[in-house]
Amino acid sequence: ETGVTQTPRHLVMGMTNKKSLKCEQHLGHNAMYWYKQSAKKPLELMFVYSLEERVENNSVPSRFSPECPNSSHLFLHLHTLQPEDSALYLCASSPQQGVDTEAFFGQGTRLTVV
Amino acid sequence: SQQGEEDPQALSIQEGENATMNCSYKTSINNLQWYRQNSGRGLVHLILIRSNEREKHSGRLRVTLDTSKKSSSLLITASRAADTASYFCATIIGGNQFYFGTGTSLTVIP
């Protein structure tokens, strides 16, 4: 266990549904991330939160909406998704600063959009 | 794109053999990291090499870095079936934005 917990582990949703992914860490880290992992593609950095403020968007479609209410929790709100959004969504955290900082990942949420 | 690229995309070896995978990246770095991912799970940090280092060891892992070529390699010696996983290199932009490549899928046949 890395100390980063994601729920749910699996999610199947219709294109008209609204759902949320949750990520939680109690490692004292101040930066949290959402990544999307699709088959045969690099991990896509979707969002970065540093000290609860979003610092990177990477032109993610607005049907993905992140929320970081505090330094320990991160959400990804999903609405009107498309089948191509089916992927493994990974949350990660890292210490705020430090040249040699490393990322700690959760186990991921396997999302299927039908 | 700031992402790295791993080579080969897939590698299959017999248990006991060595596995070598390579990473090329595009930006200047402070360090380069390697991560491992078991199928459908999260990534786990393996080893970090700083830009002023050329080689680093950790157990059966050996990492090299050539900043002039913007490339790194990960060597796993005496491989085991349990080493079967995908391996990614990562670079950091802006102090805390981690960028990963497509990964190398390693299969170790018992």
Side-chain angles (χ1 to χ4, degrees):
Chain A
E1 294 297 327
T2 62
V4 180
T5 304
Q6 289 187 243
T7 54
R9 291 293 308 278
H10 301 272
L11 178 62
V12 179
M13 60 185 289
M15 289 189 283
T16 59
N17 291 160
K18 290 184 179 181
K19 295 287 184 184
S20 296
L21 310 184
K22 179 182 177 182
C23 177
E24 185 173 357
Q25 59 91 7
H26 296 288
L27 300 169
H29 293 169
N30 290 320
M32 297 187 76
Y33 314 80
W34 281 116
Y35 284 88
K36 175 184 177 183
Q37 187 176 33
S38 304
K40 303 189 187 304
K41 288 186 176 182
L43 270 76
E44 299 175 39
L45 178 58
M46 301 175 71
F47 300 104
V48 178
Y49 275 84
S50 178
L51 296 173
E52 301 161 42
E53 291 192 5
R54 191 160 73 191
V55 296
E56 181 68 27
N57 192 356
N58 281 305
S59 302
V60 176
S62 60
R63 57 186 183 269
F64 295 92
S65 175
E67 179 189 3
C68 188
N70 56 61
S71 60
S72 298
H73 294 86
L74 184 65
F75 295 90
L76 187 62
H77 303 299
L78 316 171
H79 65 96
T80 57
L81 295 191
Q82 304 298 311
E84 59 265 28
D85 297 321
S86 298
L88 182 67
Y89 288 84
L90 293 164
C91 173
S93 69
S94 72
Q96 168 59 18
Q97 290 294 342
V99 173
D100 294 341
T101 188
E102 66 180 78
F104 292 74
F105 282 82
Q107 301 285 36
T109 295
R110 172 66 64 184
L111 174 67
T112 303
V113 181
V114 297
Chain B
S1 167
Q2 294 122 340
Q3 295 156 339
E5 292 185 6
E6 288 89 349
D7 170 63
Q9 288 190 347
L11 179 61
S12 183
I13 60 173
Q14 295 289 329
E15 198 166 32
E17 294 180 340
N18 296 341
T20 300
M21 50 207 89
N22 305 295
C23 166
S24 59
Y25 58 92
K26 298 181 180 179
T27 63
S28 297
I29 59 171
N30 291 315
N31 66 60
L32 184 138
Q33 304 180 21
W34 284 90
Y35 288 76
R36 167 194 166 125
Q37 182 183 33
N38 288 353
S39 179
R41 311 292 290 273
L43 281 72
V44 176
H45 182 265
L46 291 176
I47 192 167
L48 177 154
I49 185 167
R50 297 189 179 94
S51 60
N52 62 354
E53 296 175 314
R54 291 295 167 260
E55 188 170 312
K56 194 165 184 179
H57 296 252
S58 176
R60 292 184 296 112
L61 305 180
R62 188 190 114 187
V63 171
T64 62
L65 179 65
D66 187 336
T67 53
S68 67
K69 296 181 179 178
K70 289 188 167 60
S71 68
S72 174
S73 67
L74 172 67
L75 169 67
I76 303 174
T77 61
S79 64
R80 305 167 182 168
D83 294 328
T84 294
S86 292
Y87 293 83
F88 297 83
C89 65
T91 55
I92 303 175
I93 306 296
N96 61 5
Q97 297 170 36
F98 295 79
Y99 286 90
F100 296 82
T102 53
T104 292
S105 176
L106 173 66
T107 301
V108 181
I109 303 167

